[in-house]
Amino acid sequence: MLENGDPNLRAYLAEAVSIFLGHYLNLDIPFVHRKSNSIRIFLMKHRFDMDVPPGIRKNFGTLDYTFKEIKSKSEFWISLVERYRLHRYQRINLNRDVFETFLSGKIPDVTSFFEVSAGKPIKEIPLCEMFAICKKLIFVTQLANDIERTVEKGKINIKIRHQFSEEIAIEKLVELISKLFQAAGYVFEVRTVSNLIIIEFADIC
């Protein structure tokens, strides 16, 4: 049981301790009970051939891979963390091919990110799932500050907040997002207000 303290630190310690127990004591985690101020980890004996037991992977993800990457390229990751921290996370993280497409003045096709995340073709991804993956994409790339979904007058609105000031940059971001939802087959209208992009859909998910 881990109680009180910072929630993010508590979650991090719970995962780190669980991975340690799995690696060195042949223990797995069949169940985790999370509360607002505590995490209770249930343990059981388990012999396995994997690096990380299945229960730990299911309940805590794959932070073990992160540890290994940091250890193998510590100078790079420490420098990257420092840069993100010093710039208050106002940095853009893009794949080389996506960045190259932007440099050429075109709009990159990132539908593969959505299809891999959903495990199906983009035209089969429900609007609710599209929103969740879009939120993940924005979090990973830092292309925008926040994204939220609201329902107003029977229509779904997706609101994307960003910090771009150049009109061309905002237009490119609108094109990128529009291209995604068009590829998924959704009908929508887009409007911009200051640092807000509003996408209005007719369908309720």
Side-chain angles (χ1 to χ4, degrees):
M1 169 84 83
L2 289 90
E3 295 180 294
N4 302 321
D6 180 78
N8 294 320
L9 178 60
R10 186 169 63 241
Y12 171 81
L13 289 174
E15 182 166 355
V17 168
S18 298
I19 291 170
F20 176 85
L21 294 173
H23 272 303
Y24 297 105
L25 296 180
N26 290 322
L27 292 171
D28 197 4
I29 311 294
F31 183 70
V32 176
H33 186 219
R34 293 177 173 87
K35 289 180 142 181
S36 59
N37 66 337
S38 68
I39 297 178
R40 183 187 294 271
I41 303 168
F42 293 82
L43 304 169
M44 68 179 223
K45 279 284 185 183
H46 181 74
R47 295 199 171 275
F48 50 88
D49 299 322
M50 300 168 59
D51 285 344
V52 178
I56 295 176
R57 193 174 297 280
K58 175 185 174 184
N59 287 293
F60 290 105
T62 55
L63 192 57
D64 55 309
Y65 295 143
T66 306
F67 291 147
K68 289 176 183 177
E69 281 297 315
I70 292 174
K71 187 176 179 180
S72 66
K73 297 179 181 178
S74 58
E75 188 176 339
F76 169 82
W77 288 110
I78 290 170
S79 172
L80 190 66
V81 168
E82 279 298 303
R83 287 179 183 275
Y84 268 94
R85 188 181 65 82
L86 289 172
H87 292 93
R88 300 180 183 274
Y89 286 82
Q90 298 303 307
R91 295 173 61 86
I92 304 298
N93 174 26
L94 297 173
N95 289 352
R96 187 188 300 271
D97 57 339
V98 171
F99 182 61
E100 184 178 0
T101 304
F102 270 130
L103 285 179
S104 70
K106 300 175 183 176
I107 301 299
D109 183 1
V110 294
T111 54
S112 60
F113 179 88
F114 281 70
E115 292 178 334
V116 169
S117 297
K120 51 193 161 188
I122 194 162
K123 285 190 177 293
E124 296 178 12
I125 303 176
L127 188 53
C128 286
E129 200 170 346
M130 282 287 292
F131 168 76
I133 300 171
C134 199
K135 191 165 188 172
K136 180 181 177 182
L137 177 68
I138 283 174
F139 175 76
V140 168
T141 62
Q142 294 289 304
L143 279 171
N145 293 53
D146 188 32
I147 178 171
E148 66 172 326
R149 187 189 65 185
T150 61
V151 179
E152 299 173 14
K153 297 180 180 179
K155 293 184 178 181
I156 291 176
N157 289 345
I158 290 180
K159 299 178 180 179
I160 300 171
R161 291 179 176 81
H162 60 85
Q163 288 189 331
F164 294 112
S165 56
E166 290 290 336
E167 191 173 326
I168 294 176
I170 297 170
E171 287 175 2
K172 293 288 185 186
L173 183 58
V174 170
E175 283 184 62
L176 175 67
I177 296 164
S178 298
K179 190 175 179 180
L180 279 168
F181 287 106
Q182 285 167 357
Y186 291 104
V187 177
F188 57 89
E189 292 182 0
V190 182
R191 54 193 168 94
T192 60
V193 182
S194 185
N195 292 100
L196 189 65
I197 298 170
I198 302 171
I199 309 170
E200 187 178 272
F201 299 87
D203 300 321
I204 297 271
C205 69

